[in-house]
Amino acid sequence: MSDIITPTEDALVEVPPPARGGGTLRYVLTKIGGGLVSLALVIVLGFLLFRVLPGDVVQSMFRGRPATPELMAEAEARLGLNKPLYEQFLDYLWRLLHGDLGESYVFNVPVTDKILERLWPTVLLVGVATLIAVGLGLWLGTRSAWRRGSRFDRISTGVALTLWSTPTFWLGMLLLAATSGLFPTAGLVYSDTPPDFLSQALDVAHHMVLPTVTLVAVIYAQYQLVMRSSLLEEMDADYLTTARAKGLRDDQVRRRHAVPNALLPTVTLVFLHLGMVIAGAVTTETVFSWPGLGLLTYDALRVRDLPLLQGTIVVLAGAVIIMNVLADVLYRVLDPRVRAS
Amino acid sequence: MRSRRVALGIALLVSALVTGPLVASPGAVAAPEAAPNAKIERANQAPTILKVGVTQEVDSLNPFISITRTGTDILRTAFDFLTVYNQEEQKPIGSLAESWETSEDKLTWTFTIRPDLRWSDGEPLTAKDVAWTFNKMLTDEVARTANGSYVAQFESVDAPDETTLVVKTKVPQATMTSLDIPIVPEHIWSKMSDISAAPEYPMVGSGPYIITEFKEAQFTKMVANNNFWRGKPKVDELHFIYYRNADAAVTALQNGEIDLVNKLTPQQFDSLKSDPNIVLNQAQNRRFDEILINPGAATADGTPIGDGNPALKDIKLREAIATAIDTKTLVERVWSGYGEEAAGYIPPMFKDFAWSPSGDQKREFSLEKANAMLDEAGYRKGPDNVRLDKEGKPLNLRLLAHAERTIDEVAGPFIKGWLADVGINVTVQPVSDTQVNEATTRGEFDLAFSGWSANPDPDYVLSLQTCANRPNAQGTGGTPDSFLCDEEYDALYTQQLQEFDRAKRIEIVKQMQEMLNEKATLVILGYENALEAYRKDSFEGFPLQPRENGVIMNQQGYWGYYGATPAGEGPVPQFNDDGTITDGGDAQTSDAAAEEDSNTGLVLAIVGGVIVVLLVGGLFVARGRRKTAEDRE
């Protein structure tokens, strides 16, 4: 997991453009419209990008096993790869409009089924990890800002930064080795767990520990640092002095006045970063063989499974776009200043 | 106070996650660690499970579709074939077919199917099922997806009665006893509307195990087939568990989460050496690695394609290059010694067909000799010590390498160095696998890394070097290897395919390898070993194929999984030439000494882990308390 945090912060400072003529509905519709345009671009790009990549799909499918020219021609025709590119694209669009993402070359099953099957493990992992990371980040960030320069601040910020810059793969392997035998090494459940709900659920929880810990360790720092810096900005504000003058206890000043204001950029950041978290999940899923969407995308790319790649790209990009729209909308809801302007 | 509660909650949750599943599903974690006595007692109640770690995902469990190593490995144990390669030396023997005969003109094969065979659901398995499977492949292109090449020369398939199968071929096919086609039950598959769809579980089959459950990218579960005609296996269940991360699979083996794993790297293999509960198996593999030397690529109709350096058309230059590559060093450096030195085109694992150069044919590595050969052939040294070709241009060659393969990465610089010593300038070009395939198919290379996995029947790898296997004008529609295209070689190729006498066929195949060696369009680099490991506290051992230095997993048959013997239930069976069981006298035996240790180890690990968690939790609580106190100041 590596991304430069500053541009995001810069972006956050930019206040969304004022909605002319007011009206929340109009604002939301504009945002959704923008999202749809982005999605359309992703669909076109997703199609073209993988076709521009070098490598003949049929050729790689037949690598390492007996093949006759007739068999290869058959396969090409079956996959529709012998048609001109624009026809392939129109086919793809037409199917997409009907909610059909095509059939995977390698797995020979509809891409939609494949993605749906892999979606929930990712949602589960990313969801739980994000919740924990956000909670932990906000809590630690608040503490360290409030006691800026204290030992707690220095240690927790140091630890967060160290973990943030740790390669996910390495951290995962380290955890696997260090907890040897305590947690499962791969997958979602053991193959011999009884099929009843309770055993299955407990087993999933058991399997989730290491991937979740890894993902949390790598992502919580950004929430902590943003929370810390935005709270620091609030700390010199006059209204805090007023609050103290009212006789509020330090704890109350922080909880009722400083934190709500400081939360603003952080909450938006949570949504904006969800896309990145999903990307980070790819590595975590690989280390722990977590049967999620990230693993699927990675494997599809390796074997040049075009329909599967397009499908996963549309779904992943769609998720990021939706999160962005949500962030925009949420920002407006949370910050009265944006609404007023 | 709030934060203290949060910290306490986290600590409790974490400890619940650590200990909870251990308590809730004792079978999951504790089972593989159980002592051998307990295991035997348990055999009466709980099933014995062989858990196999695989590092490749199953593409499909549809026998008409699956092409991956893991997929075919699983399907091989689920569906029987007409014939199977024997355990001893990988020679085809009857499986579903009891015997067979061929007509005078070599075009008609009559197989006699064993009587009284049954599918796992109790329905009779007859010649009709075999005929239906083959005919489906002849009439439905989707059914040809995985194994289409085997039926490409079929004229007709017929089952006149329940035990007779008649196959007519267009041309004589010596490979008819090596048809790698899983036979499916007609009564199930004829009702399927989409032949490429995922089948229903439990999947009706005829092999030693049947597939009962498949969880995508997680595991495949199989249970013993009571109706397997050779008899039920000793193991009740066979689970294939998917590991995306090979290091995690090794950890899982050490923890006892899985019992058997293959595809280990030399480093992983060495790291397991000190573990007293693990038995290692260094086996011969069916793969060879090679360097291709482009002798002037052309399409199937003979039109030159690609941009290979024309100097390489000179056999003297190719011979000199082959002499300047030290395969002995490569085995040491690339595979840390876990490999075999280069010999013929067919890997030594296939004893019958393997050929080894001797006398003058053998190119001993010698830079001096290579230099002398080049001097003699008229390649003068130009400035910078780089030799000039016949047209006076410096000999600059590209070496196409797979960016993600160890052998290419390690061997590339060595080869560059050796060739520099004989005055040939090499540039290593690491690119993606698909790019290497693409470029080599289009003839756009000078030198390139390549390699293939051979089958017990050599036909496939031999066909790679024929003229017919070259691509069309677009650089597709074929899987050429070195673009040899030699009339004599092609004639021998046809001859071996039509020679039904195994001994005579072997002679021809050896002759072809001699020729490949002589033409120097490819340089064999060596044969990587297959590295496998299993837990001896849970398994006594497995029949290897071939019996000497053979593999447990990815066999060309079902012997390894079929003969898997749980600890304490030895000896490991060995299967005769006709496939019957013989005494397992030469099986690996294990001493069940270090049992207690692993148990104690696990208990210690759990106790230690819980303590650590509690300590960390406590730290959180304490920190939380102190912080709250500070806040109140």
Side-chain angles (χ1 to χ4, degrees):
Chain A
M1 188 83 183
S2 70
D3 188 57
I4 299 144
I5 202 163
T6 13
T8 329
E9 282 181 296
D10 286 346
L12 288 173
V13 180
E14 266 178 48
V15 175
R20 280 178 302 274
T24 309
L25 186 67
R26 186 176 186 146
Y27 174 79
V28 171
L29 284 180
T30 319
K31 288 292 161 199
I32 291 178
L36 285 177
V37 171
S38 316
L39 195 61
L41 279 175
V42 166
I43 288 171
V44 177
L45 267 179
F47 179 84
L48 286 178
L49 190 67
F50 298 120
R51 276 171 175 73
V52 171
L53 279 178
D56 183 86
V57 175
V58 176
Q59 200 84 35
S60 36
M61 280 174 71
F62 278 93
R63 200 70 188 173
R65 62 199 182 97
T68 61
E70 296 79 41
L71 278 173
M72 292 174 83
E74 255 173 41
E76 196 174 13
R78 194 170 64 244
L79 303 177
L81 290 168
N82 54 347
K83 292 187 204 159
L85 201 60
Y86 75 91
E87 257 183 61
Q88 290 184 40
F89 181 64
L90 289 179
D91 266 5
Y92 162 67
L93 268 190
W94 183 248
R95 288 211 213 143
L96 194 63
L97 286 175
H98 293 78
D100 177 6
L101 290 168
E103 194 164 282
S104 155
Y105 292 167
V106 175
F107 299 99
N108 271 277
V109 292
V111 169
T112 326
D113 294 1
K114 195 88 189 163
I115 290 181
L116 282 180
E117 196 165 343
R118 296 292 193 90
L119 190 62
W120 87 262
T122 298
V123 169
L124 184 70
L125 176 64
V126 170
V128 170
T130 305
L131 280 181
I132 297 178
V134 168
L136 188 70
L138 296 193
W139 182 66
L140 288 173
T142 312
R143 301 259 140 185
S144 38
W146 207 246
R147 300 267 162 246
R148 176 166 44 161
S150 67
R151 188 143 42 110
F152 178 83
D153 179 27
R154 273 180 286 131
I155 292 177
S156 77
T157 311
V159 168
L161 280 174
T162 311
L163 285 174
W164 195 38
S165 34
T166 309
T168 315
F169 194 86
W170 184 78
L171 183 66
M173 286 311 301
L174 206 68
L175 280 175
L176 258 184
T179 61
S180 176
L182 216 52
F183 295 104
T185 42
L188 200 59
V189 283
Y190 282 119
S191 57
D192 54 0
T193 304
D196 63 288
F197 178 77
L198 185 69
S199 318
Q200 290 279 328
L202 273 173
D203 200 21
V204 170
H206 193 201
H207 277 76
M208 261 186 78
V209 175
L210 288 186
T212 313
V213 167
T214 310
L215 201 53
V216 167
V218 180
I219 61 174
Y220 84 90
Q222 53 195 347
Y223 305 117
Q224 173 176 350
L225 295 183
V226 170
M227 187 62 201
R228 182 176 176 276
S229 65
S230 70
L231 187 58
L232 281 179
E233 271 176 38
E234 298 296 331
M235 273 171 66
D236 297 327
D238 292 340
Y239 67 85
L240 291 189
T241 322
T242 317
R244 286 204 180 86
K246 279 196 294 187
L248 288 184
R249 275 186 293 120
D250 198 41
D251 197 31
Q252 287 170 318
V253 174
R254 191 185 69 218
R255 279 218 324 260
R256 296 202 194 140
H257 294 269
V259 171
N261 277 313
L263 264 180
L264 212 55
T266 322
V267 171
T268 338
L269 180 88
V270 169
F271 280 88
L272 283 177
H273 273 232
L274 263 181
M276 257 181 56
V277 175
I278 291 177
V282 176
T283 331
T284 316
E285 286 182 4
T286 309
V287 178
F288 297 101
S289 315
W290 189 259
L293 215 49
L295 196 56
L296 185 67
T297 315
Y298 181 79
D299 288 340
L301 189 60
R302 278 197 321 161
V303 293
R304 308 287 318 281
D305 194 333
L306 297 180
L308 194 53
L309 266 177
Q310 286 157 6
T312 48
I313 294 295
V314 167
V315 170
L316 288 180
V320 173
I321 292 169
I322 290 173
M323 287 307 154
N324 274 313
V325 171
L326 269 181
D328 280 341
V329 173
L330 207 70
Y331 199 87
R332 190 181 158 92
V333 174
L334 286 179
D335 192 345
R337 284 170 299 186
V338 183
R339 249 175 295 164
S341 61
Chain B
M1 281 310 281
R2 199 177 47 132
S3 50
R4 186 183 156 191
R5 257 180 282 131
V6 171
L8 191 67
I10 291 174
L12 279 177
L13 182 72
V14 170
S15 36
L17 283 178
V18 174
T19 50
L22 289 177
V23 179
S25 55
V29 174
E33 305 291 337
N37 291 338
K39 196 144 217 159
I40 297 163
E41 278 167 32
R42 223 165 43 84
N44 299 326
Q45 314 124 28
T48 45
I49 306 176
L50 168 58
K51 292 184 173 184
V52 183
V54 290
T55 46
Q56 185 190 39
E57 200 180 335
V58 172
D59 52 345
S60 168
L61 286 176
N62 183 321
F64 292 113
I65 303 293
S66 173
I67 55 166
T68 55
R69 212 173 49 239
T70 307
T72 45
D73 210 27
I74 293 172
L75 289 169
R76 234 183 260 285
T77 57
F79 293 93
D80 210 341
F81 301 78
L82 263 191
T83 55
V84 67
Y85 295 109
N86 73 353
Q87 188 208 334
E88 176 79 38
E89 50 190 357
Q90 311 188 76
K91 212 167 65 184
I93 56 167
S95 202
L96 291 181
E98 200 169 37
S99 61
W100 49 87
E101 52 192 38
T102 52
S103 63
E104 202 63 29
D105 62 1
K106 296 187 170 183
L107 292 177
T108 305
W109 287 75
T110 309
F111 292 91
T112 306
I113 308 297
R114 275 172 217 282
D116 305 323
L117 291 174
R118 296 215 168 262
W119 291 103
S120 57
D121 63 353
E123 293 288 317
L125 191 173
T126 68
K128 310 264 183 209
D129 290 296
V130 187
W132 186 86
T133 306
F134 290 172
N135 277 319
K136 185 73 193 169
M137 292 174 70
L138 287 174
T139 52
D140 186 342
E141 63 167 86
V142 177
R144 286 197 288 270
T145 304
N147 302 308
S149 66
Y150 293 110
V151 299
Q153 299 301 333
F154 279 22
E155 183 73 50
S156 69
V157 183
D158 199 26
D161 62 59
E162 305 236 304
T163 53
T164 314
L165 177 82
V166 181
V167 181
K168 291 201 164 89
T169 60
K170 294 173 191 159
V171 287
Q173 297 272 303
T175 53
M176 285 297 289
T177 52
S178 312
L179 299 173
D180 230 350
I181 304 174
I183 305 300
V184 300
E186 179 184 0
H187 67 278
I188 308 274
W189 289 75
S190 60
K191 290 181 195 127
M192 279 175 66
S193 54
D194 177 7
I195 198 78
S196 71
E200 266 180 47
Y201 306 103
M203 227 160 121
V204 175
S206 56
Y209 300 90
I210 53 168
I211 305 169
T212 52
E213 191 183 348
F214 172 58
K215 275 266 175 15
E216 193 183 301
Q218 296 183 59
F219 54 78
T220 308
K221 271 198 213 178
M222 304 181 86
V223 300
N225 176 8
N226 293 328
N227 289 343
F228 183 48
W229 68 272
R230 289 185 197 271
K232 195 184 169 190
K234 282 185 189 171
V235 174
D236 300 310
E237 293 186 23
L238 176 58
H239 296 184
F240 289 88
I241 296 154
Y242 173 56
Y243 283 84
R244 180 67 196 77
N245 171 359
D247 289 321
V250 173
T251 311
L253 180 75
Q254 288 175 302
N255 294 345
E257 268 180 64
I258 54 174
D259 306 303
L260 171 65
V261 71
N262 73 341
K263 295 255 147 202
L264 297 172
T265 64
Q267 293 74 27
Q268 292 166 339
F269 195 72
D270 286 339
S271 77
L272 287 171
K273 272 186 178 153
S274 55
D275 196 319
N277 287 315
I278 285 168
V279 179
L280 299 169
N281 182 34
Q282 178 185 353
Q284 285 188 317
N285 205 350
R286 61 195 192 97
R287 185 179 177 78
F288 65 85
D289 278 286
E290 58 177 355
I291 293 276
L292 305 176
I293 308 178
N294 189 344
T299 60
D301 59 12
T303 323
I305 48 162
D307 59 3
N309 192 322
L312 293 172
K313 286 181 184 162
D314 182 5
I315 186 168
K316 301 264 187 230
L317 177 57
R318 300 202 299 266
E319 282 176 330
I321 292 175
T323 310
I325 294 177
D326 181 5
T327 54
K328 223 177 265 179
T329 302
L330 290 184
V331 169
E332 271 315 307
R333 293 308 184 102
V334 174
W335 297 309
S336 312
Y338 295 117
E340 269 163 83
E341 226 183 290
Y345 186 64
I346 307 285
M349 175 195 215
F350 305 107
K351 262 195 207 133
D352 286 356
F353 288 103
W355 167 87
S356 192
S358 55
D360 285 350
Q361 300 161 326
K362 201 170 160 83
R363 290 195 188 92
E364 290 287 353
F365 166 69
S366 163
L367 294 175
E368 272 167 46
K369 192 171 172 214
N371 264 317
M373 287 163 86
L374 288 167
D375 288 338
E376 197 185 320
Y379 293 94
R380 293 180 295 108
K381 279 203 175 165
D384 311 330
N385 262 344
V386 176
R387 289 178 189 273
L388 306 175
D389 66 12
K390 300 282 164 73
E391 285 159 17
K393 282 191 284 185
L395 269 179
N396 290 319
L397 300 179
R398 299 159 295 169
L399 170 58
L400 213 52
H402 302 83
E404 287 173 32
R405 294 199 60 218
T406 322
I407 169 161
D408 301 36
E409 196 186 333
V410 179
F414 274 103
I415 292 171
K416 183 185 163 80
W418 290 320
L419 290 181
D421 286 346
V422 298
I424 298 171
N425 182 30
V426 171
T427 317
V428 186
Q429 297 182 330
V431 291
S432 75
D433 293 7
T434 38
Q435 275 169 293
V436 175
N437 288 346
E438 185 107 314
T440 46
T441 307
R442 285 199 300 246
E444 291 164 0
F445 67 101
D446 301 327
L447 308 174
F449 280 95
S450 178
W452 301 86
S453 290
N455 296 319
D457 190 291
D459 180 67
Y460 168 53
V461 281
L462 293 173
S463 77
L464 295 170
Q465 313 297 342
T466 59
C467 300
N469 210 46
R470 293 177 303 172
N472 57 27
Q474 284 78 46
T476 57
T479 51
D481 195 45
S482 75
F483 286 96
L484 169 72
C485 187
D486 181 276
E487 261 177 49
E488 208 184 323
Y489 179 89
D490 275 23
L492 285 172
Y493 174 75
T494 317
Q495 209 185 325
Q496 64 83 26
L497 195 52
Q498 301 188 350
E499 183 53 73
F500 290 3
D501 180 334
R502 189 172 163 92
K504 285 184 187 158
R505 188 170 173 224
I506 287 172
E507 276 321 301
I508 305 171
V509 170
K510 288 189 172 171
Q511 231 176 307
M512 293 172 79
Q513 295 180 72
E514 203 177 320
M515 214 165 151
L516 285 174
N517 181 63
E518 188 189 310
K519 297 284 176 190
T521 55
L522 54 91
V523 186
I524 300 291
L525 297 178
Y527 321 93
E528 182 183 10
N529 283 151
L531 303 178
E532 308 178 312
Y534 64 89
R535 286 194 74 88
K536 71 175 175 195
D537 52 353
S538 49
F539 280 85
E540 197 78 40
F542 306 82
L544 308 177
Q545 186 198 38
R547 199 184 289 191
E548 258 173 63
N549 300 323
V551 288
I552 300 171
M553 294 172 67
N554 296 142
Q555 290 185 355
Q556 306 291 311
Y558 35 61
W559 312 112
Y561 302 125
Y562 175 47
T565 308
E569 292 180 35
V572 178
Q574 303 295 325
F575 298 91
N576 253 343
D577 243 27
D578 56 358
T580 54
I581 298 176
T582 55
D583 180 40
D586 53 348
Q588 305 106 315
T589 47
S590 64
D591 54 321
E595 280 312 318
E596 295 305 314
D597 287 353
S598 76
N599 259 335
T600 333
L602 181 83
V603 171
L604 278 179
I606 292 175
V607 171
V610 170
I611 291 175
V612 168
V613 168
L614 289 179
L615 277 178
V616 171
L619 212 67
F620 260 101
V621 176
R623 266 229 166 272
R625 184 180 289 157
R626 205 169 85 216
K627 281 289 143 193
T628 347
E630 273 174 29
D631 290 347
R632 277 196 217 100
E633 279 161 23

